[in-house]
Amino acid sequence: MLNFPDIKDRVRSFFEEVGKLSRFAGRFFREGFRRPFEWNEFLKQCYNVGNRSLTLVILTGFIIGMVFTIQSRPTLIEFGAESWLPSMVGLTIVREVGPVLIALICAGRVGSGIGAELGSMRVTEQIDAMEVSGTNPFKFLVVTRIFACVFMLPLLVLIGDAFALYGSYLVENIKGDVSYQLFFNNVFGNLAFGDLMPATIKSFFFGFAIGLVGCYKGYHCTKGTVGVGVAANTAVVVSSLLVFIIDFMAVIVADIFYEL
């Protein structure tokens, strides 16, 4: 059972961690837009984040679309609203399901990888060696990885959404004999620019949160090789939590915007 001093220490540790993460983010904004820019490392990290996550994103999106359609179809048939299935699936995937689930996948795949990679470099003193040699390890290691996550995650979300819709179409084609043209006419006929834009914007914030937390945990890794595993694990947990928080805030902002 926790006593009051333990709770007090945990609350203080939580706010200290939030403060350190905020300073880390502030350093990123200070150094991220100053020359020189590490373009080669940035492109390399874009490949690591995007291409190496592509297969997992495609498979996940495809299965999400199929499962969501299979689960929703009997209920809509019961209420006589089967014709609304393509538009409902399209709106749900584009607005909410696609961005959040793809971001969670990237938090597990990318966030843990960045945390483990930078943590290994920290405990083996490679980062210290870069500082001694006169280079800026923060700009080379951290800035490039965060920018890669920011730019690649929206692209992964768009690809995942596309394959999710295609998986939904296959189910409808097999079970309901719905043609390709009819299905996607219903999907895009009910999608508006206001549906796609908020989902794309919050994907940038998802990518920033995943890259920031992964880099922070790895860059400040301690306790030797054990700390590398801790950094990778906590990077996944914290970045996943931030994805839900950002999504909640984005929904509130979008709701206020629609009311105006």
Side-chain angles (χ1 to χ4, degrees):
M1 183 175 180
L2 293 176
N3 53 34
F4 182 74
D6 292 334
I7 298 176
K8 187 177 180 180
D9 290 340
R10 293 194 177 189
V11 172
R12 183 172 62 250
S13 298
F14 170 77
F15 283 105
E16 287 177 353
E17 193 74 5
V18 171
K20 292 177 182 178
L21 183 60
S22 300
R23 288 197 298 271
F24 193 81
R27 185 179 177 185
F28 163 76
F29 285 111
R30 287 195 305 271
E31 300 192 17
F33 300 96
R34 293 178 181 175
R35 294 183 178 181
F37 301 113
E38 303 289 347
W39 293 111
N40 291 333
E41 181 66 15
F42 168 71
L43 294 176
K44 176 184 175 182
Q45 294 306 319
C46 285
Y47 173 81
N48 291 335
V49 173
N51 186 67
R52 294 184 178 178
S53 303
L54 188 60
T55 303
L56 182 60
V57 167
I58 288 174
L59 289 175
T60 303
F62 186 73
I63 294 172
I64 287 172
M66 295 183 69
V67 171
F68 190 71
T69 304
I70 292 172
Q71 293 288 339
S72 302
R73 197 168 188 276
T75 303
L76 292 178
I77 292 175
E78 183 179 349
F79 289 97
E82 182 183 359
S83 61
W84 287 95
L85 182 60
S87 58
M88 185 198 72
V89 170
L91 287 171
T92 304
I93 289 176
V94 171
R95 279 185 176 183
E96 192 65 27
V97 175
V100 173
L101 288 183
I102 299 300
L104 292 176
I105 291 169
C106 291
R109 162 66 179 82
V110 178
S112 62
I114 291 176
E117 182 182 13
L118 295 188
S120 299
M121 296 181 70
R122 173 62 73 182
V123 299
T124 56
E125 300 182 351
Q126 296 181 50
I127 297 178
D128 297 332
M130 293 178 68
E131 293 174 346
V132 171
S133 64
T135 59
N136 187 346
F138 190 92
K139 182 178 284 290
F140 185 82
L141 299 175
V142 174
V143 172
T144 54
R145 283 164 172 79
I146 295 178
F147 272 131
C149 291
V150 170
F151 284 104
M152 295 308 298
L153 191 64
L155 296 177
L156 291 173
V157 168
L158 290 176
I159 295 171
D161 288 349
F163 277 89
L165 293 175
Y166 186 72
S168 177
Y169 154 71
L170 288 182
V171 173
E172 273 296 275
N173 181 259
I174 294 172
K175 287 183 172 290
D177 197 23
V178 177
S179 67
Y180 181 90
Q181 184 176 1
L182 177 61
F183 180 87
F184 283 98
N185 281 343
N186 287 337
V187 169
F188 293 112
N190 291 279
L191 277 177
F193 183 77
D195 298 318
L196 182 62
M197 202 61 197
T200 304
I201 292 174
K202 69 182 179 182
S203 297
F204 284 102
F205 288 96
F206 290 162
F208 175 74
I210 293 169
L212 179 70
V213 173
C215 289
Y216 170 76
K217 292 296 182 180
Y219 199 79
H220 295 287
C221 178
T222 57
K223 301 179 181 178
T225 55
V226 176
V228 176
V230 173
N233 183 55
T234 53
V236 175
V237 174
V238 176
S239 59
S240 299
L241 180 61
L242 284 178
V243 165
F244 286 116
I245 293 174
I246 293 171
D247 183 59
F248 175 72
M249 296 173 63
V251 169
I252 292 177
V253 172
D255 183 63
I256 294 173
F257 178 79
Y258 287 135
E259 289 181 356
L260 296 176

